[in-house]
Amino acid sequence: MRADARRNYERIVSIAQQAFAELGPDAPLEEIARRSGVGIGTLYRHFSNRDVLIESVYRSNIEQLSARAHELLETQPPATALEQWLREQVQWVMANRILATTLKAGMDHGSPTFTLCRTALNEAAEALLQAGRDAGAIRSDIESRDLLRIGHGIGVACETSPDAADRLLAVTLDGLRVTADGQ
Protein backbone atom coordinates (compact mmCIF):
# COMPACT_ATOMS: atom_id res chain seq x y z
CA MET A 1 0.00 0.00 0.00
CA ARG A 2 1.34 3.43 -0.89
CA ALA A 3 2.11 5.77 2.00
CA ASP A 4 -0.82 8.09 1.24
CA ALA A 5 -3.20 5.14 0.90
CA ARG A 6 -1.94 3.72 4.22
CA ARG A 7 -2.50 7.10 5.91
CA ASN A 8 -6.05 7.26 4.49
CA TYR A 9 -6.74 3.71 5.68
CA GLU A 10 -5.48 4.43 9.19
CA ARG A 11 -7.32 7.75 9.39
CA ILE A 12 -10.59 6.13 8.26
CA VAL A 13 -10.24 3.37 10.88
CA SER A 14 -9.48 5.92 13.60
CA ILE A 15 -12.38 8.18 12.65
CA ALA A 16 -14.73 5.20 12.25
CA GLN A 17 -13.81 4.07 15.75
CA GLN A 18 -14.83 7.49 17.09
CA ALA A 19 -18.00 7.61 14.98
CA PHE A 20 -19.10 4.11 16.01
CA ALA A 21 -18.50 4.99 19.67
CA GLU A 22 -20.51 8.19 19.27
CA LEU A 23 -23.27 7.10 16.87
CA GLY A 24 -23.26 3.31 17.10
CA PRO A 25 -22.47 0.72 14.42
CA ASP A 26 -24.99 2.30 12.03
CA ALA A 27 -23.01 5.57 11.83
CA PRO A 28 -23.35 6.88 8.26
CA LEU A 29 -20.37 5.89 6.14
CA GLU A 30 -20.64 9.22 4.31
CA GLU A 31 -20.12 10.97 7.66
CA ILE A 32 -17.09 8.80 8.43
CA ALA A 33 -15.61 9.62 5.01
CA ARG A 34 -16.27 13.34 5.52
CA ARG A 35 -14.70 13.37 8.99
CA SER A 36 -11.73 11.44 7.59
CA GLY A 37 -11.19 14.03 4.88
CA VAL A 38 -11.70 11.55 2.06
CA GLY A 39 -14.41 10.91 -0.48
CA ILE A 40 -16.86 8.05 -0.09
CA GLY A 41 -15.15 6.31 -3.03
CA THR A 42 -11.87 6.24 -1.11
CA LEU A 43 -13.64 4.75 1.90
CA TYR A 44 -15.19 2.03 -0.30
CA ARG A 45 -11.84 1.30 -1.99
CA HIS A 46 -10.46 0.38 1.42
CA PHE A 47 -13.62 -1.10 2.94
CA SER A 48 -16.07 -2.74 0.56
CA ASN A 49 -18.94 -2.44 3.06
CA ARG A 50 -19.84 -1.49 6.63
CA ASP A 51 -19.08 -4.95 8.00
CA VAL A 52 -15.52 -4.83 6.66
CA LEU A 53 -15.02 -1.41 8.27
CA ILE A 54 -16.44 -2.60 11.59
CA GLU A 55 -14.18 -5.65 11.45
CA SER A 56 -11.14 -3.43 10.77
CA VAL A 57 -12.02 -1.12 13.68
CA TYR A 58 -12.53 -4.09 16.00
CA ARG A 59 -9.24 -5.71 14.96
CA SER A 60 -7.40 -2.39 15.41
CA ASN A 61 -8.90 -1.95 18.88
CA ILE A 62 -7.90 -5.45 19.96
CA GLU A 63 -4.38 -5.00 18.59
CA GLN A 64 -4.06 -1.75 20.58
CA LEU A 65 -5.45 -3.30 23.77
CA SER A 66 -3.10 -6.27 23.42
CA ALA A 67 -0.07 -4.09 22.74
CA ARG A 68 -0.97 -2.01 25.77
CA ALA A 69 -0.37 -5.03 28.04
CA HIS A 70 3.23 -5.26 26.85
CA GLU A 71 3.73 -1.49 27.15
CA LEU A 72 2.52 -1.60 30.74
CA LEU A 73 4.82 -4.52 31.56
CA GLU A 74 7.78 -2.49 30.33
CA THR A 75 6.98 0.48 32.57
CA GLN A 76 5.13 -0.84 35.63
CA PRO A 77 5.59 -3.54 38.26
CA PRO A 78 3.71 -6.70 37.14
CA ALA A 79 0.77 -6.39 39.56
CA THR A 80 0.29 -2.72 38.66
CA ALA A 81 0.49 -3.51 34.95
CA LEU A 82 -2.13 -6.24 35.31
CA GLU A 83 -4.43 -3.96 37.30
CA GLN A 84 -4.13 -1.09 34.83
CA TRP A 85 -4.66 -3.36 31.84
CA LEU A 86 -7.71 -5.01 33.40
CA ARG A 87 -9.18 -1.56 34.05
CA GLU A 88 -8.54 -0.62 30.42
CA GLN A 89 -10.10 -3.86 29.22
CA VAL A 90 -13.23 -3.18 31.28
CA GLN A 91 -13.45 0.36 29.89
CA TRP A 92 -13.02 -0.99 26.37
CA VAL A 93 -15.83 -3.53 26.88
CA MET A 94 -18.15 -0.85 28.26
CA ALA A 95 -17.42 1.48 25.33
CA ASN A 96 -17.41 -1.09 22.51
CA ARG A 97 -19.79 -3.89 23.44
CA ILE A 98 -22.43 -2.91 20.86
CA LEU A 99 -19.83 -2.76 18.10
CA ALA A 100 -18.39 -6.13 19.16
CA THR A 101 -21.87 -7.67 19.34
CA THR A 102 -22.67 -6.37 15.86
CA LEU A 103 -19.47 -7.86 14.51
CA LYS A 104 -19.92 -11.20 16.25
CA ALA A 105 -23.50 -11.52 14.97
CA GLY A 106 -22.36 -11.44 11.37
CA MET A 107 -19.07 -13.32 11.53
CA ASP A 108 -17.98 -16.90 12.03
CA HIS A 109 -16.19 -17.35 15.35
CA GLY A 110 -13.49 -19.34 13.54
CA SER A 111 -12.78 -16.47 11.14
CA PRO A 112 -9.24 -15.12 10.77
CA THR A 113 -10.21 -11.90 12.58
CA PHE A 114 -11.63 -13.71 15.61
CA THR A 115 -8.69 -16.09 15.67
CA LEU A 116 -6.21 -13.20 15.53
CA CYS A 117 -8.07 -11.23 18.21
CA ARG A 118 -8.53 -14.21 20.53
CA THR A 119 -4.84 -15.11 20.19
CA ALA A 120 -3.65 -11.54 20.77
CA LEU A 121 -5.80 -11.07 23.87
CA ASN A 122 -4.88 -14.46 25.33
CA GLU A 123 -1.18 -13.76 24.79
CA ALA A 124 -1.49 -10.32 26.39
CA ALA A 125 -3.38 -11.67 29.39
CA GLU A 126 -0.94 -14.56 29.78
CA ALA A 127 2.06 -12.21 29.67
CA LEU A 128 0.53 -10.11 32.44
CA LEU A 129 -0.38 -13.13 34.55
CA GLN A 130 3.00 -14.81 34.10
CA ALA A 131 4.87 -11.65 35.07
CA GLY A 132 2.63 -11.37 38.14
CA ARG A 133 3.19 -15.03 39.04
CA ASP A 134 6.95 -14.69 38.58
CA ALA A 135 6.93 -11.68 40.91
CA GLY A 136 4.96 -13.65 43.50
CA ALA A 137 2.08 -11.18 43.30
CA ILE A 138 -0.61 -13.07 41.35
CA ARG A 139 -2.15 -16.46 42.12
CA SER A 140 -0.87 -19.36 40.07
CA ASP A 141 -4.29 -20.89 39.40
CA ILE A 142 -5.63 -18.01 37.27
CA GLU A 143 -5.64 -18.62 33.51
CA SER A 144 -5.58 -16.03 30.76
CA ARG A 145 -9.15 -16.89 29.69
CA ASP A 146 -10.24 -16.36 33.31
CA LEU A 147 -8.79 -12.85 33.30
CA LEU A 148 -10.46 -12.04 29.98
CA ARG A 149 -13.82 -13.38 31.16
CA ILE A 150 -13.56 -11.39 34.38
CA GLY A 151 -12.85 -8.15 32.51
CA HIS A 152 -15.60 -8.82 29.99
CA GLY A 153 -18.09 -9.72 32.71
CA ILE A 154 -17.41 -6.59 34.72
CA GLY A 155 -17.59 -4.46 31.58
CA VAL A 156 -20.96 -5.88 30.56
CA ALA A 157 -22.33 -5.75 34.11
CA CYS A 158 -21.29 -2.12 34.54
CA GLU A 159 -22.16 -0.81 31.09
CA THR A 160 -25.13 1.15 32.44
CA SER A 161 -23.56 1.86 35.85
CA PRO A 162 -19.87 2.61 35.22
CA ASP A 163 -19.32 3.78 38.80
CA ALA A 164 -19.70 0.18 39.97
CA ALA A 165 -16.76 -0.95 37.81
CA ASP A 166 -14.15 0.38 40.22
CA ARG A 167 -15.72 -1.43 43.18
CA LEU A 168 -16.01 -4.71 41.28
CA LEU A 169 -12.46 -4.36 39.97
CA ALA A 170 -11.13 -3.75 43.48
CA VAL A 171 -12.79 -6.93 44.76
CA THR A 172 -11.62 -8.89 41.74
CA LEU A 173 -8.05 -7.66 42.00
CA ASP A 174 -7.98 -8.65 45.68
CA GLY A 175 -9.00 -12.14 44.57
CA LEU A 176 -6.20 -12.35 42.00
CA ARG A 177 -3.45 -11.44 44.45
CA VAL A 178 -1.44 -14.02 46.34
CA THR A 179 -2.61 -14.34 49.95
CA ALA A 180 -0.64 -15.11 53.11
CA ASP A 181 -1.08 -18.85 52.53
CA GLY A 182 0.54 -18.57 49.09
CA GLN A 183 -2.62 -18.82 46.99
Side-chain angles (χ1 to χ4, degrees):
M1 194 181 290
R2 292 184 343 237
D4 60 333
R6 172 50 84 192
R7 281 190 303 272
N8 284 341
Y9 176 92
E10 291 171 355
R11 189 170 48 250
I12 293 167
V13 169
S14 177
I15 296 297
Q17 180 179 349
Q18 295 168 14
F20 291 146
E22 178 186 330
L23 304 170
D26 293 326
L29 297 182
E30 294 80 6
E31 176 67 12
I32 292 170
R34 185 190 65 71
R35 289 183 187 186
S36 299
V38 301
I40 192 69
T42 299
L43 185 143
Y44 278 114
R45 269 192 299 282
H46 289 291
F47 309 98
S48 57
N49 60 51
R50 176 181 306 280
D51 292 340
V52 172
L53 181 56
I54 289 172
E55 181 179 345
S56 296
V57 168
Y58 181 82
R59 188 174 50 248
S60 175
N61 286 343
I62 295 301
E63 288 169 350
Q64 290 171 16
L65 184 61
S66 299
R68 182 72 174 131
H70 301 287
E71 291 170 12
L72 288 165
L73 282 172
E74 291 175 9
T75 61
Q76 304 290 324
T80 305
L82 186 143
E83 177 179 342
Q84 180 62 35
W85 188 80
L86 188 58
R87 288 182 185 288
E88 291 179 24
Q89 181 205 8
V90 168
Q91 291 301 314
W92 186 87
V93 169
M94 289 191 309
N96 293 285
R97 193 177 68 77
I98 293 172
L99 184 67
T101 300
T102 299
L103 177 66
K104 289 175 184 178
M107 184 179 285
D108 175 20
H109 287 268
S111 74
T113 292
F114 275 129
T115 300
L116 177 127
C117 292
R118 184 174 37 254
T119 300
L121 284 174
N122 276 315
E123 288 174 357
E126 185 56 36
L128 289 160
L129 288 169
Q130 191 59 52
R133 287 184 206 114
D134 292 347
I138 301 298
R139 294 169 45 162
S140 62
D141 61 337
I142 306 298
E143 298 177 6
S144 59
R145 291 296 300 155
D146 297 334
L147 188 65
L148 295 171
R149 287 181 182 120
I150 288 166
H152 185 266
I154 292 172
V156 170
C158 297
E159 185 177 11
T160 58
S161 56
D163 295 344
D166 282 336
R167 281 193 320 278
L168 292 176
L169 278 166
V171 171
T172 299
L173 290 163
D174 283 347
L176 294 175
R177 292 186 184 99
V178 171
T179 60
D181 66 2
Q183 270 300 336

